Amino acid sequence: MKCDEIRGQFSAYLDEELDAQARAKEEKHLDGCASCHAAWESYCALHHAFASLELEELPADFSANFRARLAKERKPIPPKKKLYQRAWIRVVAACACLLLVIGLVDWSWPSLNADTLNNATASEGMPTYELYTQDDSIASDSSAYSAGSNDFAISANDGEKVREESSNLQAKEQDMERKIIRNWNLSLQVADFEVAFDALSQIATTYGGYVVSGESYDSYSNAYRSGYIRLRVDAGQANAAVDEIKELGKVENQSFYSDDVTTEYYDAQARLVQYEAQESRLLALYEQATTVEEIIAIESELTSVRYEIDALTGQLKYYDQLTQLSEISITLYTPASDTQSVTLSGWSAFASDVRAGFLRNVNAVLNFFLAIVVWVLSHAPVILLFVLLVLVIFFWYKKRKKKKNKQ
Amino acid sequence: MSNKKDKAPRPSRIPAEEWDLICRARTGDGRAFELLIAQYSKRIYNIGLKMLGSSEDAADMTQETLLKAYRNLPRFRGESAFFSWLYQIAVNTCRDMMRSAYRRHENVFSDTDYEDAYAGKVADYAHMPESVYTEKETNAYLQALIDGLTPQYRLAVTLREIAGLSYADIAEVTGVSIGTVKSRLSRARAAMQKQLAQDMEQYPDLLRLIGKGGVKGEM
C-alpha cells in the first residue's frame, strides 16, 4: 500500500517538483525498500532515454525559407485597441447615450418642457427684466403718492376706533400738501455729446431749474465719450422735462424713485410750532424776571430752544428745496463712429434663449437621474433575480469548461 | 524608428537584452527577430516532431508559429516569459494542425468530437508499427511511445521531456493547473512504462536502447 503511494509520486519526484517533506519521505522509503528502489531505477531509464536524445536539427532550408517568408511580412501592426477602447467608438457611444437621455427626457417629461417653454417665451417678450421693472416703477408713480394712506388703510382693519382715527388723519392729510422728493435717473445714447449737453442746460432753465453738476470723460480706449449731468427742475414740471430729455437720444436705462417725507416734514413743523410757543412763553417770563439767577436760567433755556428752532427751520427749508425741485441725473454716451455700427439687436433674445434652454436641460438631467434611481429601486427584485441568474449561468459555464479541460 | 510604443518600459520578467530585441523586432527589424527566436526555433521544431510525428508538419508548424509570433509581437506585454508566450503559440498551432489532420482523417467536423475521441484515454498502443523494434533506434521507439499517447498527455510529456519546461511553465503554456500537469505526466509515464515493460518482454534488444537501468518489476 505504502509502495503504491511512493510509486505514484515517482513522476513528480523525478522532475524535482515535490516539496521538501514529500521528497524526504520518498528518499527514506527508497533507501529502505529494495523493490521500490528497483522500480525507481527502471522508471528513470525512460527519462534518461529522453534526456539523452539530441534535439533534431531544423531542415537545412528552413532558415532561408523563413527569412524569405519574413521579408514578405509587413511590419508588425500594433494591436488594435479593443472595440470599447477605440476613441471613435467612445464618442459614438457617448453621443448615443446623450441622444437616449434627451429622448427619454423629452418623452418622459412633456409637461415640464411645456412649463419651461412658457417661461422662455414670457421672458422673450420682455427682453430685460430691469427695464421691465423700471417701467413699472414709473407707472406706479401715483402709487408712491398714496403710500402713506395705504399704510393707514392697512391698520384700519384693526378696529373701529382705529378706523375713525385714521379717517381723521386722512382728512387732515388731505388738507396738507404732500411732501415728496422725486428723482429720475436716465441713461441716454446720443449722437452728439456737446449738443446734448447744451440742450440739457437749456431744459433745466426752461423748467425752472438749474444744472447741479456736469462732467464728461472719454473712455480708456476712446471708443466712446460719456458724461454725467445732474439737473434740478421744478417738481411740477419734472415729468414734462423728463419727456423732453428722452427726446434727445436713445434711452438705454431709466429709473425713478421717490421719497415721501410728508410725515417727517409736518412732524418737524409741529415741533417748530411748539418750540416757538415755548420761546414766546420764555420771553414773557424773561420780562418778568427779577433776580440774576432767574435771568440766567431763562436765558440758558432760551438758547437751547432757539437752537432747536434753527435746526427745524433748516430741515424744513431743505425739505422744501428738495420737494420743490426734482433731481434728474442723466448719463450720456456717445459711441465712437466706428463702433456705433455694431448693434447686437438679437443678443438679448439669444441670451435668454440660452438661459431658458440651459435651465430646462439642467432640470431635465436632474429629473432623469432621479428617474433612474426610482427605476433601479423599484426594479430591485427583478434586477436581483437577473443577477443571480447570470451568476448561476456563469459559474455553471466555468465549471463545465474546467471539467472539459481536466479531460 | 523611435515610436513611443517601442520604448515601452521593460517588464520585470523579461531580461534587458531580450526586451531590446523584442522592441527592435516590433518595428519590423527582421534581423532582431531572428536573433530573438534563434534559441527557441529548434525546440519548437522538436515539439512539433513529437506532437505531429512528421518533420514536414513540424517545419510547417515552426514557421507558422514564428510568423504568428512576429505578427503578434506588439501584443506581447511581458506578462509571462517570452519563451512561455512563444510555446503557447506553438501549442495552439499544433492543436490546430492536429485537429484539421484528425478531421481529414476521420472526416469529422467538430472539435468536440476530436476532444471526445480521446476522452478518458491516456494511451493507445494498439497500432505500434513493427519497424520501431526492428530499426533498433532509440529515437524511433521513443517517438512511437509518445505517438501512442492521447494529445493532452503527449503535449505534457513533450513539454517536459523535450522542451524541458517546469511544471509551472507547462501549466502556463497549456492553460491548466499545476496539479493537472502533475497528474497528466504521472499517468502518461505510467502508460509508457507499462508499454515499455511489455515490449521488452517481446524484444529484449530494447534493453540496450533504453539504457542502463533496464526495466524491471511491475508498475
Side-chain angles (χ1 to χ4, degrees):
Chain A
M1 200 62 188
K2 180 113 197 257
C3 290
D4 282 352
E5 202 184 303
I6 292 296
R7 290 179 193 191
Q9 296 288 322
F10 271 179
S11 173
Y13 181 54
L14 181 68
D15 294 325
E16 294 176 6
E17 297 271 357
L18 283 179
D19 59 39
Q21 204 190 343
R23 192 167 62 233
K25 206 170 135 195
E26 216 56 30
E27 275 163 8
K28 202 179 156 204
H29 183 89
L30 286 177
D31 280 349
C33 177
S35 127
C36 281
H37 191 81
W40 168 246
E41 299 257 297
S42 70
Y43 195 87
C44 290
L46 194 58
H47 175 67
H48 289 312
F50 276 121
S52 67
L53 280 181
E54 295 269 321
L55 286 182
E56 280 184 47
E57 290 295 331
L58 281 156
D61 57 351
F62 180 84
S63 192
N65 279 348
F66 179 68
R67 196 168 294 158
R69 187 71 187 72
L70 195 62
K72 275 191 229 160
E73 276 297 310
R74 275 176 302 172
K75 198 173 143 177
I77 303 152
K80 275 186 184 171
K81 281 179 182 169
K82 281 176 188 151
L83 200 63
Y84 65 85
Q85 286 175 324
R86 284 185 218 165
W88 67 269
I89 278 284
R90 283 182 187 188
V91 170
V92 167
C95 288
C97 283
L98 204 71
L99 276 176
L100 193 75
V101 167
I102 291 167
L104 271 175
V105 164
D106 282 349
W107 170 73
S108 333
W109 291 279
S111 56
L112 172 116
N113 283 342
D115 285 353
T116 44
L117 272 175
N118 284 345
N119 283 345
T121 45
S123 56
E124 264 167 46
M126 208 51 67
T128 59
Y129 287 100
E130 230 180 329
L131 198 63
Y132 181 66
T133 46
Q134 276 155 10
D135 283 349
D136 205 37
S137 73
I138 286 171
S140 66
D141 193 348
S142 55
S143 76
Y145 253 106
S146 57
S149 53
N150 273 348
D151 285 344
F152 289 122
I154 288 161
S155 59
N157 290 336
D158 290 347
E160 201 59 32
K161 198 182 164 193
V162 180
R163 181 175 289 179
E164 259 171 47
E165 265 176 29
S166 69
S167 57
N168 283 346
L169 270 169
Q170 237 170 323
K172 200 176 156 194
E173 293 245 336
Q174 274 161 6
D175 292 342
M176 299 187 296
E177 186 198 351
R178 292 203 64 90
K179 294 292 178 185
I180 293 165
I181 304 166
R182 264 162 271 177
N183 296 299
W184 278 265
N185 270 320
L186 292 169
S187 284
L188 286 181
Q189 202 185 13
V190 291
D192 193 322
F193 189 85
E194 306 301 333
V195 169
F197 208 97
D198 290 344
L200 284 172
S201 314
Q202 194 67 43
I203 287 168
T205 27
T206 313
Y207 291 96
Y210 56 94
V211 176
V212 181
S213 68
E215 52 187 321
S216 71
Y217 36 87
D218 291 326
S219 75
Y220 180 72
S221 59
N222 272 331
Y224 59 88
R225 197 151 183 240
S226 60
Y228 182 65
I229 300 155
R230 283 163 65 212
L231 306 179
R232 285 253 167 89
V233 294
D234 183 65
Q237 296 173 286
N239 278 326
V242 168
D243 286 342
E244 198 164 316
I245 290 167
K246 281 185 191 169
E247 303 284 300
L248 292 176
K250 192 179 154 219
V251 181
E252 296 208 320
N253 209 342
Q254 56 177 333
S255 62
F256 167 83
Y257 66 94
S258 65
D259 196 3
D260 189 346
V261 292
T262 314
T263 322
E264 288 92 332
Y265 186 88
Y266 289 106
D267 189 35
Q269 213 170 39
R271 276 160 65 212
L272 183 65
V273 170
Q274 270 180 17
Y275 278 121
E276 276 167 354
Q278 201 177 353
E279 189 197 17
S280 51
R281 274 202 307 276
L282 281 169
L283 283 172
L285 278 174
Y286 190 74
E287 297 294 319
Q288 294 164 15
T290 47
T291 63
V292 176
E293 285 85 6
E294 278 175 348
I295 290 169
I296 291 171
I298 292 168
E299 268 187 348
S300 107
E301 198 59 29
L302 263 175
T303 313
S304 61
V305 166
R306 281 184 176 148
Y307 174 80
E308 291 293 336
I309 289 171
D310 283 346
L312 285 168
T313 317
Q315 204 180 345
L316 287 172
K317 232 183 196 167
Y318 178 67
Y319 280 146
D320 279 339
Q321 217 176 40
L322 283 183
T323 50
Q324 272 160 24
L325 293 173
S326 290
E327 186 167 309
I328 308 171
S329 310
I330 304 119
T331 312
L332 291 173
Y333 298 96
T334 344
S337 54
D338 53 345
T339 51
Q340 202 174 6
S341 58
V342 178
T343 50
L344 282 171
S345 54
W347 176 253
S348 58
F350 169 75
S352 70
D353 277 359
V354 169
R355 201 176 101 105
F358 181 78
L359 287 175
R360 184 180 64 215
N361 286 317
V362 165
N363 279 331
V365 167
L366 287 178
N367 280 321
F368 175 73
F369 282 114
L370 198 70
I372 287 179
V373 170
V374 169
W375 189 89
V376 168
L377 288 179
S378 60
H379 286 71
V382 182
I383 293 171
L384 216 69
L385 198 71
F386 183 73
V387 167
L388 271 174
L389 204 72
V390 167
L391 278 177
V392 166
I393 290 173
F394 175 72
F395 280 117
W396 174 77
Y397 177 77
K398 218 173 158 186
K399 212 172 165 184
R400 191 164 159 255
K401 212 174 160 188
K402 218 172 169 183
K403 218 169 150 190
K404 223 169 148 187
N405 273 340
K406 260 194 179 148
Q407 286 175 3
Chain B
M1 278 300 256
S2 62
N3 192 319
K4 224 179 204 173
K5 211 150 208 166
D6 307 324
K7 300 281 177 199
R10 178 170 65 89
S12 54
R13 294 183 67 164
I14 314 295
E17 226 170 290
E18 193 170 62
W19 187 245
D20 181 54
L21 288 177
I22 289 169
C23 290
R24 278 165 57 198
R26 273 176 178 178
T27 65
D29 184 345
R31 182 88 203 106
F33 186 71
E34 278 179 54
L35 285 171
L36 182 65
I37 49 124
Q39 55 174 320
Y40 304 117
S41 52
K42 196 165 146 187
R43 269 177 208 281
I44 292 169
Y45 175 67
N46 278 272
I47 292 172
L49 281 175
K50 293 291 170 285
M51 292 301 290
L52 303 166
S54 92
S55 61
E56 245 173 64
D57 285 349
D60 280 354
M61 187 280 278
T62 308
Q63 176 161 309
E64 189 60 32
T65 299
L66 296 179
L67 286 174
K68 272 187 199 166
Y70 181 72
R71 286 176 205 137
N72 288 299
L73 206 55
R75 248 177 265 251
F76 174 68
R77 281 186 299 273
E79 282 152 1
S80 58
F82 179 71
F83 75 85
S84 163
W85 182 73
L86 199 58
Y87 287 164
Q88 272 179 50
I89 299 175
V91 165
N92 286 333
T93 313
C94 276
R95 273 187 187 143
D96 290 347
M97 288 175 78
M98 284 159 81
R99 254 178 216 149
S100 55
Y102 176 83
R103 278 192 209 140
R104 272 199 308 275
H105 186 243
E106 300 284 326
N107 202 18
V108 175
F109 293 95
S110 95
D111 286 346
T112 328
D113 287 348
Y114 168 76
E115 302 284 346
D116 289 348
Y118 300 104
K121 259 194 217 169
V122 179
D124 178 8
Y125 289 117
H127 312 294
M128 284 279 269
E130 193 72 14
S131 60
V132 300
Y133 308 111
T134 51
E135 274 176 19
K136 300 186 179 168
E137 204 191 306
T138 319
N139 198 357
Y141 180 71
L142 292 178
Q143 178 74 54
L145 272 186
I146 287 182
D147 279 349
L149 294 169
T150 55
Q152 291 164 350
Y153 294 97
R154 202 189 306 165
L155 182 61
V157 169
T158 306
L159 291 177
R160 175 73 204 119
E161 301 285 16
I162 307 301
L165 299 186
S166 70
Y167 284 15
D169 288 337
I170 297 172
E172 192 166 26
V173 168
T174 54
V176 296
S177 71
I178 291 181
T180 308
V181 172
K182 193 174 159 185
S183 81
R184 278 185 190 170
L185 274 172
S186 185
R187 288 163 82 182
R189 279 171 170 155
M192 289 192 295
Q193 288 287 347
K194 196 177 161 197
Q195 182 62 27
L196 181 59
Q198 272 180 23
D199 290 342
M200 274 195 186
E201 276 177 21
Q202 241 182 315
Y203 305 95
D205 281 356
L206 274 176
L207 192 61
R208 208 167 18 82
L209 292 179
I210 299 309
K212 53 173 184 172
V215 180
K216 276 183 237 159
E218 74 279 25
M219 287 300 297

